[in-house]
Each structure stands twice: as structure tokens, then as C-alpha cells.
Amino acid sequence: MGDVSYRPLIEDMTWSYSRLNSFESCPYAWYLRYILEEKEEPMFYASYGSFIHRLIERYYSGDLPKEEMPTAFLLGFSSEVEGERPPQSTVVKYINAGREYLENFEPFPFEKRGVEEEIHFDVNGANFVAFVDFIGERDGKLAVIDNKSRELKPRSGRKTPTLKDQELDDMLRQLYLYAHAVKQKYGELPSLLCFNCFKNRQFIEEPFDQKAYEEALDWAGRTIETISAEEDFRPYIDYFHCRYLCGYHRDCCYAQGG
Ligand code: SF4
């Protein structure tokens, strides 16, 4: 790093929301993942989310009946959820949250149009790929749905946005990029963007907003430009993020307390 330009390599990349967003979390982790292509250790929280995600996908693919979902979760938890465990009380909370969600599982209130659809699309000439968890239709209008373990809340509706509203807006960038992908594949924009937050059992429906859509595309373009111009890939050190979310924390020379 330092006197080497990775611009040609970076400009040739196929982008995704997570490839952009992970740079904002820690440029050094991004460098390890996408430039050096170093292998990451599986981490508990991400692995837990992926496991529930796979169970929902299996239900929609006709491979797992609704009434068998809680059992499949409990039987598979110890082998499917990888990574060093957080404190036992946290593990119990996560098991209970997953079990309760799956015991009360309700299919999304849309007709199925696509599950785990891989869509290749472009944003202002840059190549992108999206894996959209669920594309649905209601009253002739499309919706995109993303499964999240993160505990988002529906918009407060307050005049001054709350921190949770801000968090929701940040996360919606992902769904606006997916909306762009859907437009290129289906020829129309979705009218609803939804998060299925399975851990706190909130299904959030946000109406499509043209301004937020344009801002998300603009953010994608600016972030690609920032990454392309980057030379130092400095670490952003945050104890919880490094210790519990980053799969490089054991080998990272910057990590604290790992
Ligand atoms: S451990 Fe922390 S500083 Fe190191 S790569 Fe991961 S997030 Fe970045």
C-alpha cells in the first residue's frame, strides 16, 4: 500500500452493495478481502443471519415445510452457525429469537416472483451484481424484500428523524440498488422496499421514493470513485466491530483486544 495504485484492478471489479458498504466499515478489511483475497474466519453474528436466511430460502423453494422450520433451526444451530460464540446469555437470546420467529413464521404478503435472484446490472457504467432475497407482487406492483438479522424499526414519522430512522435510511441504500437491478431485469421499478427483520420480528414496508433512489445511485458512484482513488486503506478500529464482526480480527495487526 502507499505508493501502489490499485485503480485498474478496482475499476474492473463487479460491484455489489456489500462491496461498497464494507469499505465504509473498514478500508483495511476491504483491502484484505477484495485486493489480497484473504480468507475470513466465519463469525457468529453473520453466520446466524445466513442460517435463518437459508431456512427462509428453503421454505420458498419448496424444500422445507413451514411447520418443520423451527425444528430444522434447532437441530442445525450448532453445526450451521459457525464462529466463536459470544457469551452464553447472548447465544440463548439468539436461539430464542430464531425459534420464536420460525414458530410464528408467516409467508410474506406478496405473490412470489423470484427467490434469491442473481441480477447483473449497471450503475452509470459500473458492473454490479445483486442477490435479491425475494421479489414479490401485490396489486400488480413489485416489491423487493431483504431478510435482516439487524433490529430495524419502522419509520417513526416524527418531524425530526430519530437515530433509528437514520439507520433505516442508510440500510435502504441496499434496497434502492436492488430496485435499480429489478428495473433493468423486469422493466419496472418496485413500488415497495421491505425489510424482514426476523430477530425482532418486524416486517418493514417502505414506499419507493425517487429522491432516495437517486441519492443511493449517487452514493454508489461516489463510493466507487473514493475506493478507486484510495492508496492507504487505513483501518477503522471499533472494538465491537473488530472483535465480533470482522473475520480478520485474529490476524489484523490493528485489532485491539482480539
Ligand atoms: S480487525 Fe478491525 S481494523 Fe482490522 S481489518 Fe477488521 S475491522 Fe479493520
Side-chain angles (χ1 to χ4, degrees), residues 60-77:
Y60 279 111
S61 306
D63 176 43
L64 180 65
K66 179 177 157 175
E67 56 280 7
E68 290 179 19
M69 292 171 93
T71 310
F73 170 71
L74 293 171
L75 289 177
F77 186 88

Side-chain angles (χ1 to χ4, degrees), residues 2 13 22 26 90 104 132 146 177 199 206 209 231 249:
M13 286 180 173
S22 63
C26 177
T90 305
N104 296 285
V132 186
D146 192 65
L177 286 182
K199 192 159 165 281
E206 274 280 311
D209 179 81
E231 291 182 353
H249 74 108

Side-chain angles (χ1 to χ4, degrees), residues 62-118:
D63 176 43
L64 180 65
K66 179 177 157 175
E67 56 280 7
E68 290 179 19
M69 292 171 93
T71 310
F73 170 71
L74 293 171
L75 289 177
F77 186 88
S78 62
S79 58
E80 298 281 335
V81 180
E82 299 177 280
E84 186 187 327
R85 297 321 194 216
Q88 184 61 14
S89 57
T90 305
V91 175
V92 169
K93 262 192 219 155
Y94 273 70
I95 291 176
N96 286 340
R99 183 181 48 75
E100 279 168 27
Y101 169 70
L102 295 166
E103 280 174 356
N104 296 285
F105 179 80
E106 287 298 333
F108 303 142
F110 300 96
E111 272 176 51
K112 182 173 83 174
R113 289 286 298 269
V115 176
E116 275 300 312
E117 247 188 82
E118 177 177 346

Side-chain angles (χ1 to χ4, degrees), residues 25-30 32-33 234-239 241-243 245-256:
S25 301
C26 177
Y28 183 60
W30 193 94
L32 297 175
R33 184 178 301 129
R234 293 188 187 284
Y236 290 165
I237 299 165
D238 169 85
Y239 176 75
H241 186 90
C242 293
R243 178 68 183 80
L245 303 180
C246 179
Y248 295 115
H249 74 108
R250 285 189 206 280
D251 298 322
C252 174
C253 50
Y254 302 109
Q256 297 176 339

Side-chain angles (χ1 to χ4, degrees), residues 8-50:
L9 174 65
I10 291 169
E11 285 180 344
D12 240 20
M13 286 180 173
T14 295
W15 298 93
S16 63
Y17 170 75
S18 60
R19 195 174 282 235
L20 297 177
N21 189 51
S22 63
F23 181 83
E24 295 196 336
S25 301
C26 177
Y28 183 60
W30 193 94
Y31 170 78
L32 297 175
R33 184 178 301 129
Y34 297 114
I35 301 288
L36 299 189
E37 298 184 340
E38 287 194 3
K39 201 167 159 22
E40 285 174 76
E41 174 188 329
M43 300 300 282
F44 173 83
Y45 295 105
S47 185
Y48 170 87
S50 302

